[in-house]
Structure formats: C-alpha cells, structure tokens
Amino acid sequence: MKHIKASGPRDCGIRYGALSLALLFACPALAYTGEKLAKDAKVSIVEARAIAMKAHPGKITDEELEREPGGTGLRYSFDIKSGSSTQEVGVDARTGRVLENTKEGKNPD
C-alpha cells in the first residue's frame, strides 16, 4: 500500500505565501493617478469605473482623477481599450455624469 504524506502547517504556509505573492504581481495596483484628490470626489473610483465601462465596454488601461475644465472641474479619466482602438471616457467625480466619450487620438495626454 502506498503511503501519502499529509502536508503539515509549514507546507500550507509556503503554499499560501506563494499564492499571495503571485496575486500581488498578477493584480493591478490599487492606486491611480490623482488619488490625493479623492477626498473632494462624491463618486468613488469604483463607481466611476462602472459608469465608464457602461459608456464604453472594454478593458481599462489607464485611469486618473484630475482637475479639468468642464462639469464640476473634477473628473475621472479612463482609457478603455476595445479591439484595436482606445476610447477616453471622462466621468464627473462629483455628479457621475459622463463628460467625454471619444476615441483617443494619436497623441494621448
């Protein structure tokens, strides 16, 4: 009869440590450009992402919170890649209104 060795607490710790390390590098950073302005926003980055993705489905490749003319002057800006094109979607950080939904130009800012 073949004997299977049970893994002990040390083995589990190594496995969980390796899994945690893999997840750390596989998941994008939680910080975004302009995060220090978040205290002035009424719409969270999570809510703004959902609004932007509804306006233009795809994969968010860049996101920032910035002061910019238009709306209330504070907006989230998302670059959303869909196929071979990238769309810039701007969401007002105080009202949640979509301020911009345009194809990203050759010279993105």
Side-chain angles (χ1 to χ4, degrees), residues 81-96:
K81 188 163 180 64
S82 179
S84 63
S85 68
T86 300
Q87 192 87 353
E88 183 171 354
V89 178
V91 177
D92 192 293
R94 293 189 176 115
T95 67

Side-chain angles (χ1 to χ4, degrees), residues 49-104:
R49 279 185 199 125
I51 293 165
M53 293 295 286
K54 186 174 180 183
H56 188 82
K59 178 179 167 67
I60 294 175
T61 58
D62 190 39
E63 57 189 20
E64 65 183 314
L65 178 57
E66 59 192 345
R67 293 200 187 280
E68 192 165 300
T72 62
L74 185 64
R75 76 176 205 157
Y76 292 100
S77 179
F78 299 94
D79 289 346
I80 303 175
K81 188 163 180 64
S82 179
S84 63
S85 68
T86 300
Q87 192 87 353
E88 183 171 354
V89 178
V91 177
D92 192 293
R94 293 189 176 115
T95 67
R97 195 174 111 233
V98 174
L99 300 173
E100 179 181 13
N101 189 354
T102 58
K103 186 173 181 177
E104 184 83 339

Side-chain angles (χ1 to χ4, degrees), residues 1 15 29 42 44 58:
M1 183 170 180
R15 283 189 205 133
K42 292 192 178 96
S44 73

